[in-house]
Amino acid sequence: MLVAAAVCPCPPLLVPELAAAAAPELDAARAACTDTLGVLAAARPDLLVVVGPAEESAHGTHAEGTPGSFRGFGVDIDVRLGRAEAGTAVPAPSERRLPPSLAVAAWLLERTGWSDAPIQGLGVGEPWEAERCIEVGRHIAARAERVALLVMGDASACRTLKAPGYLDERAAPFDASVARALGKADVAALKALDTERARDLKASGRAPWQVLAGAAEEAGLSGALLYEDAPYGVGYLVATWS
């Protein structure tokens, strides 16, 4: 059963070395992510599942110890998703690697010294329909007696003229509705997110949030919104469910 969840944004710019001189702009987001991971640790889960958006080649599960990297973004930083158990084969550089969203999660977990439970990763696709995401969430919640989720994903990328998706007047109301749902642990509202609207607004978190909704159906958790802002015209949200 799901006992806790953390929702974090997944821009590689969370890594200060990548953001360089602009790193202080996301200090508050980094601090909120640290706080929400503390909530996960306090829940003492038997299993942590990290869910994030991924390209088709990275859909599906990623074992503990799977490597990731930010070299493609211009910084010489490598990460791993937790620590592989003794005797576990770790993928070679030419084999399966973490998508950027899970690499950011791995960096956050390393930064906070996570060692509280085994970790599994799951890359989900933007085209996945709500029903599929919700069903995946249900299966995740049944994997262990005490399951925690770290859910990575951004809100709209259309909040300003300079945003990656340019300005769309629908973006701010969409992000506000997601922030309310995450802040209240409103499972029904997350399930009802408009898939097409999310796609139009380039909201990478839609599918991961709906996985969370499926996992939390029977959990009865309470939510708290820790951070909400749109630097660079992209909506970033941090929330805890416990």
Side-chain angles (χ1 to χ4, degrees):
M1 175 178 283
L2 187 71
V3 295
V7 178
C8 293
C10 60
L13 287 173
L14 278 178
V15 180
E17 291 87 347
L18 198 154
E25 295 179 18
L26 291 180
D27 279 348
R30 294 185 193 96
C33 289
T34 298
D35 290 344
T36 196
L37 289 179
V39 172
L40 292 189
R44 305 183 70 83
D46 301 318
L47 173 67
L48 172 65
V49 180
V50 183
V51 181
E55 298 294 332
E56 184 175 357
S57 61
H59 288 179
T61 58
H62 297 265
E64 185 162 17
T66 300
S69 174
F70 296 101
R71 295 172 187 268
F73 297 96
V75 294
D76 188 14
I77 297 178
D78 297 314
V79 294
R80 287 191 182 277
L81 187 64
R83 295 190 295 270
E85 296 180 1
T88 300
V90 176
S94 61
E95 297 178 335
R96 190 167 176 83
R97 300 179 70 81
L98 297 173
S101 66
L102 297 190
V104 173
W107 178 82
L108 287 171
L109 290 165
E110 287 184 3
R111 182 172 181 258
T112 55
W114 179 273
S115 61
D116 297 82
I119 301 174
Q120 296 177 1
L122 176 66
V124 300
E126 184 270 338
W128 289 18
E129 295 298 331
E131 293 78 8
R132 180 179 182 183
C133 296
I134 292 164
E135 187 61 26
V136 167
R138 291 171 181 149
H139 285 295
I140 289 174
R143 287 185 187 175
E145 185 174 346
R146 298 181 63 80
V147 176
L149 275 178
L150 173 53
V151 183
M152 308 298 294
D154 300 338
S156 73
C158 303
R159 292 282 291 272
T160 66
L161 292 173
K162 294 184 178 180
Y166 196 66
L167 176 65
D168 190 315
E169 294 181 355
R170 301 172 297 173
F174 176 86
D175 289 357
S177 68
V178 174
R180 285 193 298 271
L182 293 176
K184 296 179 179 179
D186 189 335
V187 170
L190 291 182
K191 286 183 178 181
L193 286 176
D194 188 325
T195 302
E196 293 299 326
R197 179 68 55 85
R199 183 177 296 123
D200 290 346
L201 298 175
K202 304 183 184 304
S204 69
R206 191 276 307 171
W209 298 330
Q210 290 185 320
V211 171
L212 168 60
E217 283 179 332
E218 307 297 329
L221 302 180
S222 298
L225 188 67
L226 305 188
Y227 176 87
E228 177 185 8
D229 203 355
Y232 319 117
V234 181
Y236 297 151
L237 303 167
V238 180
T240 61
W241 289 23
S242 61

